[in-house]
Amino acid sequence: MAGEVAPRAWLLMAAGKDRGHAGNTGYDDQIDAYYSWDSKVPNHTAIQRGDVVALWDKKSLLGVSVVEVIQQSAGFKTQFRCVECNATRIHARKNASPRYRCSKCRAEFERPVASNVPVTQYTARHDAAWTPLEGLLDAEELRSLTVHQGDINAMRPLDWAAFRAALTAKGAGLALERLGARTPDLVWDRDTTLAVDFAHGFLHTMVRVRRGQRQFRRHLLSDHGNLCAFTGAAPERVLEAGHLYSYARLGSHHAHGGLMLRRDIHRLFDDGLLAVDPSRLRVDVAADLETYPQYARLHDGELVVPLRDEQVDWLYKHWEEHRTEPAPRA
């Protein structure tokens, strides 16, 4: 499609104790929730909110997500340097002695020089769209998908088109849909707009490059207030505008094609683990969730918001996609 705006994508290393690099003490990462780095890291200001991230452990892919917010603060970082050339490119060896070796000057030593340096610390949260894909792509495959072949940085730009094709080939379509639902700037034509048909004949047009998600969310909040349709009242900050259909496939916002959903409920609904039986308008909880009381108790309950006919129509389509027929229950 001419004039496409593709999301930016990054390969982020989260290797933990297997990092190999001993020039610093590492970072506090939780792979399914947030990723940390500082101003001494190459590309430290390049990653932005809305970017796609793929985390790996130097061996294989761990999972994918979208950056929701980036927090930064002033701090200090302990760096370890070579005793000969003062470089931080040193490596700790498990079995050899002396323990450390400098990659720059090849010096070997038992203790590096330690110093505290001021840095800007960054933490990117990405838990909302996190999808584990452990082992789906191996190290060689991931390296081949980076923009700069031979890049050894912890934060490397990915070729989005190639990465998307690789995930598609591996059957990770659901992961791509989740990324698409939460990426502010997906693959849209710059010259097109999307029209949202509201009641009473008014037509609201939104520029596709921003996807109209904010307007869509404001409309749903105005319609139902701070209510998760499945669980009830919730703080606005944990509520998301959930589509009742695959936005990634249709590429359109329908005025009555969504509900406000709590973040965890939104994800489970997208995956089909929560659905609404359209013949009875009762919540259906998949068997995989029955061991979790907070979700199991939702089964056979009613939604807490009134539904319009258009929303029921979308729920029929969601049901057909994720349930072939109502599951028999005792």
Side-chain angles (χ1 to χ4, degrees):
M1 182 164 52
E4 288 183 344
V5 179
R8 302 187 324 154
W10 297 90
L11 180 63
L12 307 180
M13 184 183 295
K17 294 181 179 179
D18 296 327
R19 293 180 307 128
H21 178 65
N24 58 65
T25 55
Y27 302 93
D28 172 30
D29 296 328
Q30 183 177 327
I31 61 168
D32 62 350
Y34 58 85
Y35 186 83
S36 303
W37 69 96
D38 60 57
S39 51
K40 294 294 184 180
V41 176
N43 295 320
H44 66 273
T45 60
I47 189 169
Q48 299 177 11
R49 179 179 178 272
D51 287 356
V52 172
V53 291
L55 274 68
W56 71 313
D57 60 1
K58 292 175 54 177
K59 300 175 183 176
S60 62
L61 181 66
L62 299 173
V64 296
S65 194
V66 175
V67 175
E68 303 167 50
V69 64
I70 299 177
Q71 300 169 324
Q72 65 181 73
S73 60
F76 287 88
K77 174 181 183 176
T78 301
Q79 286 190 325
F80 300 101
R81 298 180 177 275
C82 172
V83 298
E84 297 291 338
C85 70
N86 209 38
T88 58
R89 292 169 53 193
I90 62 176
H91 294 268
R93 303 182 295 184
K94 293 182 179 179
N95 302 316
S97 183
R99 184 182 177 191
Y100 294 92
R101 182 180 183 183
C102 177
S103 298
K104 183 177 180 181
C105 73
R106 305 299 181 184
E108 297 180 346
F109 44 94
E110 197 61 42
R111 292 178 181 275
V113 177
S115 62
N116 287 327
V117 296
V119 295
T120 301
Q121 299 169 327
Y122 300 88
T123 299
R125 293 205 63 90
H126 57 254
D127 48 316
W130 174 256
T131 304
L133 296 173
E134 294 184 15
L136 189 69
L137 298 171
D138 63 29
E140 183 178 351
E141 290 172 308
L142 287 169
R143 291 189 183 100
S144 71
L145 299 173
T146 56
V147 173
H148 309 294
Q149 297 299 309
D151 192 341
I152 61 171
N153 292 322
M155 302 167 65
R156 316 176 193 184
L158 277 171
D159 181 329
W160 166 249
F163 183 61
R164 179 178 60 181
L167 291 185
T168 301
K170 297 284 187 175
L174 184 60
L176 287 170
E177 286 196 16
R178 183 174 291 133
L179 295 179
R182 289 178 168 84
T183 305
D185 300 295
L186 244 186
V187 185
W188 299 121
D189 190 294
R190 286 191 179 91
D191 297 328
T192 60
T193 59
L194 63 106
V196 181
D197 188 8
F198 288 92
H200 310 301
F202 292 101
L203 192 67
H204 187 62
T205 302
M206 306 174 203
V207 179
R208 244 182 180 168
V209 70
R210 289 305 300 176
R211 296 177 57 253
Q213 183 68 17
R214 291 182 181 177
Q215 294 95 324
F216 183 61
R217 184 174 190 272
R218 284 200 297 266
H219 169 68
L220 292 179
L221 279 171
S222 175
D223 224 20
H224 295 298
N226 291 6
L227 290 174
C228 167
F230 282 74
T231 62
E236 183 177 331
R237 64 182 298 177
V238 304
L239 291 173
E240 298 180 343
H243 294 91
L244 301 179
Y245 51 89
S246 171
Y247 179 84
R249 293 177 190 169
L250 296 186
S252 301
H253 291 295
H254 294 267
H256 304 302
L259 292 169
M260 292 306 297
L261 301 174
R262 209 173 65 194
R263 176 172 292 180
D264 58 329
I265 298 296
H266 188 181
R267 181 165 177 173
L268 295 171
F269 181 82
D270 284 351
D271 290 348
L273 295 175
L274 289 176
V276 177
D277 183 342
S279 64
R280 302 183 304 122
L281 294 183
R282 296 278 181 168
V283 176
D284 184 83
V285 178
D288 290 349
L289 290 182
E290 289 181 342
T291 57
Y292 302 95
Q294 68 269 38
Y295 302 123
R297 69 170 63 102
L298 297 176
H299 181 68
D300 214 34
E302 296 180 339
L303 297 183
V304 301
V305 296
L307 296 176
R308 299 173 182 266
D309 289 344
E310 299 97 322
Q311 291 167 317
V312 175
D313 290 340
W314 289 117
L315 288 172
Y316 264 104
K317 292 179 171 58
H318 181 269
W319 182 266
E320 290 172 355
E321 180 178 358
H322 296 285
R323 304 283 194 279
T324 55
E325 58 183 74
R329 302 269 179 159

